[in-house]
Amino acid sequence: AYKPDVEPSLAEIEAFVNTPMWAELNSFIQEGYQVSPEVNYSGCSGQPGWNVKYRKGGRALCTLYPMDGYFIALVVIGAKEYDEALGVIRGSSPYTQDLFERTEVGMGQRWLMINVTDEAILEDVKQLIQVRRKIKR
């Protein structure tokens, strides 16, 4: 929706996504991990356009792709997180379980492009991000 040369503000992205789940997930990540969002433009990925990336300690936690009325959360599950992720997947929504099964392993990783369209899927994303890196309480 946005041109590559005009970076949207976080408020503009939130208005475009137009779901309270966007703010909920962003708050969860920012407060839980004490990180700030990075707004980036990607022209080459499977999901071109503006996105919001979160990193902690040099590692990507997740990348959020704003869509009209929902958003996609990319969570990469590597080999060392695989067993723990499998435990999370077993307890997750049917959508997330199916997506995990259908996502091919490439270079030892599964790149889960999760369409966040309801609260159950949002909770799955939160759990998977915590597999990537624990929240320090």
Side-chain angles (χ1 to χ4, degrees), residues 70-95:
Y70 71 102
F71 60 97
I72 299 169
L74 168 64
V75 182
V76 179
I77 301 300
K80 68 181 185 182
E81 297 120 355
Y82 184 80
D83 290 341
E84 188 180 347
L86 213 49
V88 168
I89 293 297
R90 286 190 191 108
S92 66
S93 68
Y95 164 82

Side-chain angles (χ1 to χ4, degrees), residues 4-132:
D5 55 342
V6 181
E7 181 176 320
S9 69
L10 290 167
E12 287 171 324
I13 293 171
E14 186 171 348
F16 172 72
V17 173
N18 194 27
T19 171
M21 292 184 290
W22 175 265
E24 185 179 333
L25 184 58
N26 279 275
S27 294
F28 170 81
I29 297 168
Q30 290 171 33
E31 292 164 17
Y33 293 96
Q34 303 300 304
V35 293
S36 296
E38 302 169 24
V39 177
N40 294 297
Y41 186 84
S42 173
C44 61
S45 71
Q47 191 60 48
W50 288 99
N51 60 61
V52 176
K53 195 167 281 180
Y54 286 100
R55 298 177 209 268
K56 180 75 176 179
R59 288 188 75 204
L61 291 171
C62 67
T63 304
L64 307 179
Y65 299 89
M67 306 301 286
D68 192 0
Y70 71 102
F71 60 97
I72 299 169
L74 168 64
V75 182
V76 179
I77 301 300
K80 68 181 185 182
E81 297 120 355
Y82 184 80
D83 290 341
E84 188 180 347
L86 213 49
V88 168
I89 293 297
R90 286 190 191 108
S92 66
S93 68
Y95 164 82
T96 303
Q97 289 181 26
D98 183 58
L99 179 71
F100 188 82
E101 288 303 315
R102 288 185 292 112
T103 301
E104 298 206 11
V105 177
M107 298 185 314
Q109 301 176 320
R110 282 187 203 229
W111 290 53
L112 300 175
M113 296 288 284
I114 306 166
N115 291 339
V116 181
T117 55
D118 68 33
E119 290 288 334
I121 297 168
L122 177 64
E123 288 306 313
D124 296 344
V125 170
K126 289 179 183 179
Q127 295 294 317
L128 288 167
I129 290 170
Q130 291 175 84
V131 168
R132 292 282 300 159

